Amino acid sequence: METFPAESKFDPRNTSGAWTVEHSHTITYEVRICKGLLDLENPVLAESCLSRQDREHQVLIVLDDAVNEIYRQEIHSYFVHWGLVPSYMVLEGNEGTKDVESAMKVAARIGEVGLLRRSEKVVVIGGGVVMDVVGMAASLFRRGVPYVRVPTTLLGQVDAGVGVKTGVNYGDHKNRLGTYYAPACSLIDPTFLSSVPHRHIVNGLAEVVKMALVKDAALFNLLENSLLQLSGGGFGSHSPIHGEIIRRSVSGMLEELEPNLHESNLERIVDFGHTFSPSLELIADPPVLHGEAVAIDMAVCVALSHDRRLLTEQEAVRVYRLLTGIGLPVSDGLFTPELLVKALNDTVKHRDGKQRLPLLIGIGKADFFNDVSSFELHKAVRSVNRLEKLAVGPVLPEQRQAAEA
């Protein structure tokens, strides 16, 4: 009796001794905005943790320290109310936590709790650092256990919490070790933002501005017209304006990520602001937050775009006014031409031998360039200083209308 069909490419009667293995893997996960996740009558979070109705479910809940301090009792009451058996782990939500050792501690805790491999989940509730660490641990433990993300910061809700990348810092490099591993779902509850310190709201807004600059001019206009409302309390209220800002940011990000989840194409417009910023994040003292470094990087790239006449001076000043109006920095003394050259050279390795540098060709549009010289980077530093001075003062409605005309 023949074990292999004659047409099988693995038929042992084939004497070539060479095989090609092909397999496609479908990735499906949900990103959902759901207000009031911890309300006892809201089943969404509990249902995301249930896969079998014939047994009691355990769940490992990993919290960052800020979430643990504010919401621990509320979180515990919720899971007990829904008949789940929670175990806990708390991590500090800062860059010092983002290392291999922290990921291994999470893996050890998963083993201690004894979660079933497929039907019981890890739930991470916190900011981007903790989500990255837990995601990496989940991807490694038994080569992949399911996890649920609940991002509680604005940066997490519009950026770190919606894709499939996990990662930790290694040596002198940001996110040098990591995996692509999708969560079972990512649940975005804007009410968490009411308790987020203002600096961290501003930090998240850098990624919102990024999406506006590279693909959504309407979002840019909305941000300009809502400057005085961009607070944690505002986002926590999930008003129509704040809801639209988050929806546009998330949908724009997902539209870019979905066809390229594993970054087979290294030309990614969502890398705008992420060429020079990793170098600054790792050496700044006092430390800068991720979004603050991204804002400074974006300011450099806007200067490059302006110097190349891809962006008018009115447009460049308009961008600087929005960034500074939000409260984001546009310059840093550590961003010397020498650091920019070094950072770009390192990015070329990350982008497989090309700069693939996203620059603006108008507000809401971007393109890629591979020929930025060290001379241009020296010039860009001077241009940043000049544009920053021109941008002093608020964006007035008549100025915005003139820029749009």
Side-chain angles (χ1 to χ4, degrees):
M1 180 177 178
E2 292 292 343
T3 305
F4 296 82
E7 66 275 10
S8 171
K9 66 180 179 180
F10 300 112
D11 188 336
R13 292 168 297 190
N14 180 350
T15 60
S16 68
W19 298 266
T20 299
V21 179
E22 297 175 278
H23 177 73
S24 60
H25 176 64
T26 300
I27 296 174
T28 303
Y29 67 101
E30 181 182 32
V31 178
R32 181 175 179 181
I33 297 174
C34 183
K35 189 175 180 180
L37 277 180
L38 298 181
D39 293 348
L40 294 183
E41 301 310 310
N42 186 340
V44 172
L45 179 55
E47 288 175 350
S48 74
C49 298
L50 297 169
S51 54
R52 292 168 52 184
Q53 301 299 323
D54 60 339
R55 65 180 305 280
E56 195 173 56
H57 277 68
Q58 292 192 96
V59 58
L60 172 61
I61 304 168
V62 185
L63 311 173
D64 73 24
D65 51 347
V67 170
N68 182 62
E69 183 176 341
I70 300 171
Y71 296 103
R72 175 65 170 265
Q73 187 55 52
E74 197 174 345
I75 289 167
H76 186 73
S77 297
Y78 177 87
F79 282 96
V80 170
H81 174 80
W82 284 97
L84 292 151
V85 182
S87 297
Y88 294 93
M89 181 176 186
V90 179
L91 295 173
E92 292 186 13
N94 56 51
E95 285 292 316
T97 300
K98 200 171 180 181
D99 55 23
V100 176
E101 290 74 20
S102 295
M104 294 302 99
K105 288 176 183 177
V106 175
R109 187 71 177 120
I110 296 172
E112 290 170 2
V113 173
L115 299 181
L116 296 181
R117 185 177 182 182
R118 292 287 181 262
S119 57
E120 294 182 327
K121 296 184 177 67
V122 181
V123 177
V124 53
I125 307 177
V129 166
V130 175
M131 284 191 295
D132 273 354
V133 170
V134 172
M136 184 168 174
S139 73
L140 296 174
F141 193 86
R142 293 200 174 106
R143 298 183 182 88
V145 295
Y147 75 113
V148 173
R149 284 180 180 153
V150 181
T152 59
T153 63
L154 183 57
L155 182 70
Q157 293 187 357
V158 302
D159 185 75
V162 303
V164 301
K165 291 201 293 188
T166 78
V168 297
N169 302 334
Y170 182 71
D172 295 329
H173 301 282
K174 284 276 295 178
N175 296 321
R176 187 49 53 95
L177 300 179
T179 61
Y180 298 102
Y181 191 61
C185 61
S186 185
L187 302 175
I188 296 170
D189 182 356
T191 58
F192 282 114
L193 301 180
S194 296
S195 60
V196 173
H198 184 66
R199 184 184 178 190
H200 287 270
I201 294 294
V202 171
N203 181 52
L205 281 167
E207 295 288 357
V208 176
V209 173
K210 176 194 76 177
M211 294 310 302
L213 288 174
V214 298
K215 68 174 299 167
D216 192 347
L219 175 58
F220 189 91
N221 294 340
L222 181 60
L223 291 168
E224 276 188 330
N225 291 325
S226 309
L227 269 180
L228 298 180
Q229 302 174 59
L230 301 179
S231 65
F235 281 104
S237 72
H238 202 49
S239 74
I241 287 174
H242 298 92
E244 183 178 355
I245 289 171
I246 290 180
R247 283 195 310 275
R248 281 185 171 274
S249 301
V250 172
S251 61
M253 175 66 81
L254 291 175
E255 184 176 45
E256 292 301 315
L257 294 182
E258 185 185 54
N260 192 30
L261 278 178
H262 286 181
E263 299 183 9
S264 53
N265 180 2
L266 295 177
E267 288 190 346
R268 297 168 9 108
I269 64 168
V270 294
D271 282 341
F272 183 72
H274 293 71
T275 298
F276 310 105
S277 56
S279 296
L280 177 61
E281 280 187 76
L282 286 171
I283 66 171
D285 186 18
V288 297
L289 299 177
H290 175 73
E292 294 167 344
V294 167
I296 297 167
D297 186 317
M298 289 193 293
V300 170
C301 291
V302 167
L304 285 168
S305 298
H306 172 255
D307 290 344
R308 286 190 164 214
R309 299 184 179 179
L310 304 171
L311 206 61
T312 68
E313 186 166 282
Q314 279 185 323
E315 289 172 322
V317 169
R318 194 175 161 207
V319 174
Y320 275 57
R321 281 182 173 162
L322 178 61
L323 290 171
T324 56
I326 287 171
L328 286 162
V330 293
S331 62
D332 189 289
L334 291 174
F335 250 15
T336 62
E338 292 73 24
L339 178 65
L340 294 177
V341 171
K342 182 177 180 295
L344 184 56
N345 289 337
D346 188 61
T347 297
V348 165
K349 297 174 186 175
H350 186 62
R351 296 176 185 166
D352 201 38
K354 293 185 178 181
Q355 293 178 356
R356 305 181 203 269
L357 179 62
L359 295 178
L360 299 184
I361 54 174
I363 291 177
K365 294 177 287 185
D367 204 350
F368 299 94
F369 297 85
N370 295 296
D371 60 345
V372 174
S373 67
S374 59
F375 172 78
E376 285 182 274
L377 292 175
H378 279 73
K379 183 180 178 183
V381 171
R382 297 192 297 272
S383 295
V384 166
N385 294 330
R386 189 177 69 83
L387 290 169
E388 186 175 11
K389 291 174 183 176
L390 289 174
V392 173
V395 180
L396 301 175
E398 59 269 21
Q399 293 172 321
R400 182 178 62 79
Q401 290 166 7
E404 293 173 345

